[in-house]
Structure formats: C-alpha cells, structure tokens
Amino acid sequence: FNTGSNIQSAPILDAAGRIYVASTNRNVYKVHDNGTAGNPLWVNSTSFSGGGSFSFNSGSSPALSADEQVLYLGDADGNVAALDTTTGIDNWGGTGQVTGEVRGHFAVGPNDNVYFASTDQRVFAFQDNGTSATELGSFQVTSNFTRQSPTVNASNQVFFTSGGGIVYALDGTNPGSWGNSTGKPSIFP
C-alpha cells in the first residue's frame, strides 16, 4: 500500500491485523492486508480537527484504546484526535489542542487516560469523554525534550525520558498533581 507521501511515524496494528498509519500528505489511513496487497478501509483527509485536514505528521505514532474502538494521534499543529476506528471520523470534533508539535508515540493507560508529549517540553494526560477530551494535567520538563514518548505500566505509572538522560515516573491516576521537573526526583538520580 502506497500512501503517496513520506511516513515519519510507526504504524499500529489492531488485533485483527488492520494497519493504522499517518502520512505527511495530511491523511490518516486504516488498511487491511489481504496477503497480496493493502486495501484502504478508510482515509481520513477531512474530519481531523473539526473539518480541517490532518497537519504535517511530525513523527507522532498513534495508539489504540483498549477496546480498539478509538485511534489517538496528533499532528505538527498541536491537534490531538480520537478517530473512530470504524469510520475514521474524529470523535472529539477538533476540540483536542495543545501547544507545540505533537511528536513521539501515544500511550493509553489501564485507566484509559491518553498520554503523549509535545515540543513545548510537556507530557500531557487526556481523558476521553467520548465526544470531547479533558486535559487532566501536564508535566513540564526543563531539559532537552522534543521526541520523547511516554509509556504506561499496569499500575498506571507513566514513564518517560528527557534529553538530559533523566527517566521520570509519574502517577497516572493523578495527572493534575504532576507540576514540573524542578525539584521533582527522577527514578534514576
């Protein structure tokens, strides 16, 4: 399957083997591999961000919700979307927005919170409310931080690194208390 443009992010697969990928041509694809060719099941080129197109993908790799009904991803304009995996339409209608480019991988915790980073040196936690998102909190990093990707364990601890060689662990059950890295201990001093 050829998107017709560069791909700077990793694809993600659902349990049935369907492929989700964002391309620099401002499209998001759901593709079925039938063994001989990839067939697009949908192409999102208009519904991201409430009718606007998906901006240049800056390396942000998507994540699926635990039930695989929602694909979370972001773009170079700071837009964050929750695409319905059946239709490709943004459930949040363009209401997800942060400052900075969204880069790196998205992660979804066992509590269904959505975690991602942006180039303004912050890790965000969002709650998916179905038709909208709530920003639960963010963590400001003071060192080099551009393409880091959070990961979440079974206890809802959110781990990520900074460009300065620091590994952080935050409580994913209470993102509103995260604050910033000033005076915050890392897990590897």
Side-chain angles (χ1 to χ4, degrees):
F1 179 76
N2 187 345
T3 67
S5 192
N6 292 331
I7 298 171
Q8 296 184 348
S9 61
I12 189 165
L13 302 174
D14 64 19
R18 292 169 295 226
I19 304 159
Y20 301 86
V21 65
S23 179
T24 59
N25 63 4
R26 299 178 178 262
N27 292 333
V28 182
Y29 301 88
K30 178 180 180 179
V31 179
H32 171 71
D33 179 4
N34 65 15
T36 59
N39 298 315
L41 299 174
W42 53 252
V43 177
N44 177 315
S45 60
T46 60
S47 62
F48 190 93
S49 299
S53 64
F54 185 77
S55 178
F56 175 76
N57 183 279
S58 56
S60 173
S61 297
L64 286 166
S65 61
D67 63 6
E68 297 188 338
Q69 297 298 304
V70 182
L71 179 74
Y72 301 103
L73 73 163
D75 72 9
D77 288 336
N79 296 306
V80 182
L83 302 184
D84 180 299
T85 58
T86 302
T87 65
I89 294 172
D90 183 1
N91 293 336
W92 296 345
T95 60
Q97 179 76 37
V98 298
T99 56
E101 295 179 24
V102 178
R103 293 187 176 184
H105 301 284
F106 275 64
V108 179
N111 59 2
D112 293 323
N113 288 348
V114 180
Y115 305 97
F116 60 94
S118 77
T119 57
D120 74 344
Q121 300 184 336
R122 293 195 294 166
V123 171
F124 291 90
F126 272 36
Q127 177 181 345
D128 185 343
N129 302 318
T131 59
S132 65
T134 300
E135 182 181 325
L136 299 174
S138 66
F139 182 79
Q140 182 77 47
V141 178
T142 58
S143 62
N144 182 15
F145 187 81
T146 58
R147 293 188 85 91
Q148 279 64 17
S149 300
T151 190
V152 187
N153 70 11
S155 300
N156 288 303
Q157 285 183 293
V158 180
F159 299 91
F160 61 95
T161 61
S162 72
I166 299 171
V167 179
Y168 292 98
L170 301 175
D171 179 4
T173 64
N174 188 15
S177 69
W178 285 357
N180 60 55
S181 62
T182 303
K184 180 87 68 175
S186 64
I187 62 170
F188 299 112

